[in-house]
Amino acid sequence: MRRRLQPSNDGPLSSLNLVIDLNDEKESLASSKYPISHPLNVKMKKKTSISFKKAIFLLTMFIFLTSAFFLLKYLFPRHRYRHLLKIPEVKALLDESSAPVDGQYVVFVTNANGKAPYNIALAKSEHSAESALEDALTKIPFKSARFPWFKIDLVSATKIIENYDFSSKHNDLPSYWYGLAFDWEGGWVFLPDEIQAHGLVNFRNQIQWDRLGNYASQRKLRSWPSTVLEDDTTNLAFLELLHTNSLFIDFSKNEVVQLYHGHRLFEKLTHGLLIEAAKEAGDYLSRNVYKDGKMLYVYRPRSNSEPSDYSLTRHAGTVFSMASLYQEYPNKKLLDATKQALEFLLTFVNDCPLPYEPKRQAKCVWDYDDGSRHVTKLGLNALTALAIAEFTYSTKDVKYFDIAKSIATFIKFSQQEDGSFVQKVTEPNNKLDEEYYVRYYQGEVIFCLARLYNVAKKMQLPAEEEWIAVADKAATYIVEREAKLSEDELLVDHWFLCGIAEMESHNKRHVDHSKRTMMAEIERQLQETSQDQDKDRLGIFGASISTTATAAKTEGLCSMYDFFAKKDPEFGTRIFEAVYLSTRFQMQMQYRPEKAMYLEYPFRVMGGMHMSLNNYEMRNDYSQHNICSFLCMAKLLKEQEVAWNQ
């Protein structure tokens, strides 16, 4: 081994380093007289040691700079959400803003993730809406920086009311969508979304003081300002109503949507959009089937409460909708929930004496009545058989089909000579209540028997022609019963229309009556409006803003479209236009993040349908009827897309 000295490349020229020349492979450090750790033997190790120190230095600098960057973001929160200001929709919202509060721009920012409590920040600016938004963003807690949901509200108009008495009706107030400002400086200002989500004002336009006080405590607002209330708590010395323009941003989905009255407007419907809405509603129902198969029947998000009452008939109808959805959205979670719910329903099936031939028996479904199971009703039997038929067709599982056949026998022997049915039978004496009458039960029977017959035929299962005969006779009874009603008195029975659509015979009297009722309902539909505050009411029938009433009518009208599109294209077009509008209206009542974020438990309601524009209560049949109408409308849109492509 040879050694020589040369100037170092790492240091000044005056310093010298020892370089080891390893020309002889047999000579190694192991045979050196110096230890391995000796400086004369570890020049290569020494060079490596310097590189390692450099790496440590660079890593330390990286950690320091990164920490400094996030520390600066924390110390200067104005820059935390600068990306929001670059979104085109946000810029457009800011450009259209005005300064309605004493010449100032007012902005609210709500930030949430659906789990932790949401944050609401309020800011004003004399200069611009953008400046107010920046100030509001600085007030969002740093720990919420990664929350995906942001909602921006710009106050667009205000109205001051002095000495306003909320215990009396006031016609100048908007119907339901407005915010309340008691004290701007003290933060006693509430968005319209907060008022609706927490029921701070009831349907009579009366402030709910207890709720308002409790909610203010949740918001950690200071005590009531002395200038707000007079001696009587129902009278206000000062109140300001406010309207907002709103934008919702969901960073988890890269989605930006403009809101109207706290929800989206659906100008254009597509097959994919409606299938997705049906899936979301189906997921909501699946999540709320308990282990024993019972469902969450009524849920009140404002109070996070579940009333104890229950409807087995609506349970059966909901199972039908879940089975219908499974055809379009096959997945294990939905299948398991549907099967659990169906098996719970079947625990109420018993052997029952036939109403007019008590010595013979068939299956029927006992319902709750006064706390005991001793009443069977026509509607429950019909919807149970319908649910079994749909489950059989969707899953190809025939194990329950014989039960549906036996229930159909019970229904057949409940029919009277004029085509009507005894609708209520009480045990233990097989007491027939022939005075009891629910209008929709008759239509449910028609749809049930026609659907059961068609499923049996398609799946090559035993089918009885008498089922169609009973359904036909039941339809004739309805036609004759309603023949003398005026157009104003006629109402769409969606079960009846679905049944007529399912029957292949298409009796002319039944079809004519169907068209007459449909025409009367379409004439009552709100199809255009010049009032900006009514934009989200387009599509309602009559004055009802109920999503369920609208969805049920949509189901009936939509089910008859295919028939009239072929036989009467002009009327078919009117049907399509009507159900398109009504479906747009219904879509607004589905819980999505922008609405659910103001509730105490947002993920508990996601995907489900609430009662109406101004009522956030939920019931399983609200989702049921909307799922069925979404699926039907999606089918029509898909057929039209195919036709247009061809």
Side-chain angles (χ1 to χ4, degrees):
M1 180 181 293
R2 299 187 297 273
R3 301 177 178 84
R4 60 189 174 85
L5 294 175
Q6 71 175 30
S8 168
N9 293 326
D10 296 328
L13 291 176
S14 59
S15 66
L16 296 177
N17 287 329
L18 180 65
V19 178
I20 300 175
D21 190 0
L22 301 175
N23 290 328
D24 189 351
E25 295 180 356
K26 295 182 180 179
E27 192 173 1
S28 65
L29 290 174
S31 62
S32 174
K33 65 179 180 179
Y34 299 107
I36 295 297
S37 60
H38 194 281
L40 292 177
N41 283 336
V42 293
K43 173 57 195 163
M44 296 180 74
K45 181 179 178 182
K46 184 176 180 182
K47 290 174 74 71
T48 304
S49 177
I50 292 173
S51 299
F52 177 74
K53 288 181 179 179
K54 279 187 176 181
I56 292 295
F57 173 76
L58 292 174
L59 179 62
T60 303
M61 289 299 296
F62 173 78
I63 294 173
F64 172 78
L65 292 173
T66 303
S67 302
F69 172 75
F70 284 104
L71 181 62
L72 288 172
K73 285 186 72 175
Y74 179 78
L75 294 176
F76 301 97
R78 184 180 299 275
H79 301 286
R80 276 188 244 150
Y81 309 104
R82 294 290 298 184
H83 56 286
L84 276 172
L85 303 175
K86 299 177 182 178
I87 298 174
E89 291 85 352
V90 174
K91 289 183 177 180
L93 181 69
L94 298 174
D95 291 342
E96 296 172 1
S97 61
S98 59
V101 183
D102 298 329
Q104 293 184 314
Y105 297 89
V106 181
V107 176
F108 294 83
V109 174
T110 308
N111 173 229
N113 66 353
K115 299 175 183 178
Y118 56 86
N119 307 289
I120 297 181
L122 164 66
K124 296 180 182 180
S125 173
E126 296 179 353
H127 306 294
S128 67
E130 182 176 346
S131 177
L133 176 58
E134 287 182 343
D135 288 343
L137 290 171
T138 64
K139 299 177 182 180
I140 297 292
F142 183 72
K143 63 181 180 180
S144 307
R146 297 183 65 84
F147 285 2
W149 300 342
F150 277 82
K151 181 164 165 289
I152 301 172
D153 288 272
L154 270 69
V155 177
S156 58
T158 61
K159 178 180 180 180
I160 296 177
I161 301 177
E162 297 181 357
N163 298 316
Y164 179 70
D165 184 357
F166 257 82
S167 64
S168 64
K169 201 168 183 179
H170 197 289
N171 294 327
D172 290 339
L173 282 181
S175 57
Y176 72 100
W177 198 256
Y178 51 88
L180 293 176
F182 299 99
D183 178 14
W184 286 97
E185 299 304 321
W188 279 80
V189 186
F190 303 97
L191 287 168
D193 313 73
E194 296 176 89
I195 291 170
Q196 284 298 312
H198 298 276
L200 305 184
V201 176
N202 66 13
F203 67 95
R204 296 189 183 91
N205 281 346
Q206 297 171 334
I207 293 179
Q208 304 299 288
W209 298 107
D210 291 340
R211 288 185 181 180
L212 184 62
N214 292 335
Y215 180 64
S217 298
Q218 293 177 26
R219 285 271 310 273
K220 298 180 180 179
L221 300 177
R222 62 181 178 80
S223 59
W224 286 92
S226 58
T227 57
V228 171
L229 295 177
E230 293 183 346
D231 294 337
D232 185 352
T233 57
T234 62
N235 295 311
L236 295 176
F238 170 85
L239 177 69
E240 194 166 1
L241 305 182
L242 56 98
H243 296 269
T244 62
N245 293 328
S246 308
L247 198 68
F248 175 73
I249 305 159
D250 186 348
F251 286 107
S252 66
K253 296 182 179 179
N254 293 323
E255 187 177 45
V256 182
V257 288
Q258 190 169 359
L259 303 180
Y260 179 87
H261 289 173
H263 53 250
R264 310 172 191 211
L265 290 177
F266 294 87
E267 300 292 342
K268 182 180 180 181
L269 300 178
T270 65
H271 172 266
L273 181 65
L274 292 175
I275 291 297
E276 187 62 30
K279 287 179 181 179
E280 294 291 336
D283 287 343
Y284 166 78
L285 291 175
S286 298
R287 292 196 309 269
N288 288 288
V289 174
Y290 304 133
K291 290 182 179 180
D292 63 355
K294 193 175 181 179
M295 296 181 185
L296 173 62
Y297 176 47
V298 175
Y299 178 60
R300 293 171 181 156
R302 288 171 174 171
S303 58
N304 188 34
S305 60
E306 305 173 24
S308 59
D309 55 327
Y310 203 76
S311 169
L312 206 58
T313 303
R314 292 191 174 111
H315 178 107
T318 304
V319 174
F320 163 73
S321 71
M322 294 170 74
S324 300
L325 177 61
Y326 184 74
Q327 295 179 48
E328 291 287 341
Y329 180 39
N331 69 92
K332 188 177 185 303
K333 184 177 180 182
L334 177 60
L335 176 61
D336 290 345
T338 306
K339 190 171 182 179
Q340 279 181 301
L342 178 59
E343 290 181 344
F344 172 80
L345 177 62
L346 297 183
T347 62
F348 294 86
V349 173
N350 293 273
D351 292 318
C352 311
L354 299 177
Y356 293 107
E357 292 190 27
K359 292 183 179 181
R360 298 175 59 187
Q361 288 190 334
K363 299 294 185 184
C364 79
V365 190
W366 292 113
D367 197 2
Y368 290 106
D369 190 65
D370 298 327
S372 61
R373 291 160 53 174
H374 64 277
V375 171
T376 184
K377 296 178 181 177
L378 181 68
L380 175 57
N381 284 305
L383 291 184
T384 299
L386 179 64
I388 295 173
E390 202 66 18
F391 181 85
T392 302
Y393 184 69
S394 298
T395 65
K396 312 309 177 192
D397 183 350
V398 301
K399 66 185 291 188
Y400 307 114
F401 193 75
D402 285 343
I403 297 176
K405 285 175 56 183
S406 187
I407 293 174
T409 299
F410 183 87
I411 292 173
K412 180 176 71 174
F413 283 93
S414 301
Q415 192 171 42
Q416 302 179 85
E417 286 299 322
D418 62 357
S420 66
F421 296 85
V422 56
Q423 295 194 357
K424 184 177 180 181
V425 182
T426 307
E427 281 294 303
N429 301 318
N430 196 39
K431 181 181 178 182
L432 309 183
D433 188 348
E434 296 180 340
E435 299 299 319
Y436 182 83
Y437 181 80
V438 176
R439 181 177 180 272
Y440 292 116
Y441 285 1
Q442 195 91 2
E444 288 168 357
V445 166
I446 298 168
F447 187 31
C448 155
L449 295 178
R451 184 64 178 156
L452 186 65
Y453 178 84
N454 287 337
V455 166
K457 284 286 189 181
K458 291 175 182 177
M459 297 188 64
Q460 298 182 339
L461 297 170
E464 297 183 16
E465 297 295 333
E466 286 187 334
W467 296 342
I468 296 298
V470 171
D472 189 81
K473 193 174 181 180
T476 300
Y477 172 81
I478 291 179
V479 172
E480 292 176 350
R481 182 185 175 97
E482 298 183 353
K484 296 181 180 179
L485 296 179
S486 67
E487 306 303 313
D488 292 337
E489 294 172 315
L490 280 175
L491 296 174
V492 159
D493 178 351
H494 59 287
W495 296 115
F496 173 82
L497 293 176
C498 289
I500 298 303
E502 194 73 25
M503 293 171 68
E504 296 179 356
S505 60
H506 293 131
N507 181 301
K508 186 177 185 306
R509 290 184 67 194
H510 302 164
V511 170
D512 290 345
H513 179 74
S514 299
K515 182 176 180 180
R516 182 171 172 244
T517 60
M518 295 165 70
M519 184 71 78
E521 202 65 63
I522 291 173
E523 290 295 328
R524 287 191 283 265
Q525 187 180 41
L526 181 64
Q527 297 190 341
E528 57 183 23
T529 177
S530 59
Q531 300 297 320
D532 182 67
Q533 69 266 25
D534 289 336
K535 277 200 301 187
D536 55 356
R537 299 184 181 218
L538 284 173
I540 65 174
F541 297 97
S544 173
I545 57 174
S546 162
T547 179
T548 313
T550 306
K553 292 178 174 65
T554 303
E555 283 180 83
L557 293 169
C558 185
S559 68
M560 293 295 293
Y561 171 78
D562 283 342
F563 174 82
F564 282 106
K566 296 174 183 176
K567 302 293 184 180
D568 187 348
E570 184 177 346
F571 186 58
T573 300
R574 292 203 64 185
I575 294 173
F576 184 88
E577 292 172 348
V579 296
Y580 193 94
L581 273 178
S582 58
T583 306
R584 282 174 48 188
F585 169 78
Q586 294 162 224
M587 290 281 285
Q588 299 169 155
M589 260 62 72
Q590 188 165 38
Y591 274 113
R592 295 179 175 83
E594 61 269 20
K595 187 178 295 184
M597 67 192 295
Y598 289 97
L599 299 172
E600 187 175 1
Y601 298 101
F603 279 107
R604 191 167 186 188
V605 303
M606 289 287 284
M609 308 295 299
H610 59 86
M611 181 184 289
S612 68
L613 286 173
N614 58 0
N615 191 324
Y616 280 20
E617 183 175 288
M618 309 178 77
R619 203 171 68 193
N620 57 8
D621 62 315
Y622 300 165
S623 293
Q624 166 207 331
H625 289 293
N626 280 279
I627 286 173
C628 292
S629 59
F630 290 162
L631 292 176
C632 184
M633 189 63 205
K635 175 176 172 287
L636 298 193
L637 289 172
K638 188 173 185 179
E639 290 173 353
Q640 290 224 347
E641 289 170 6
V642 170
W644 291 334
N645 290 336
Q646 290 175 346

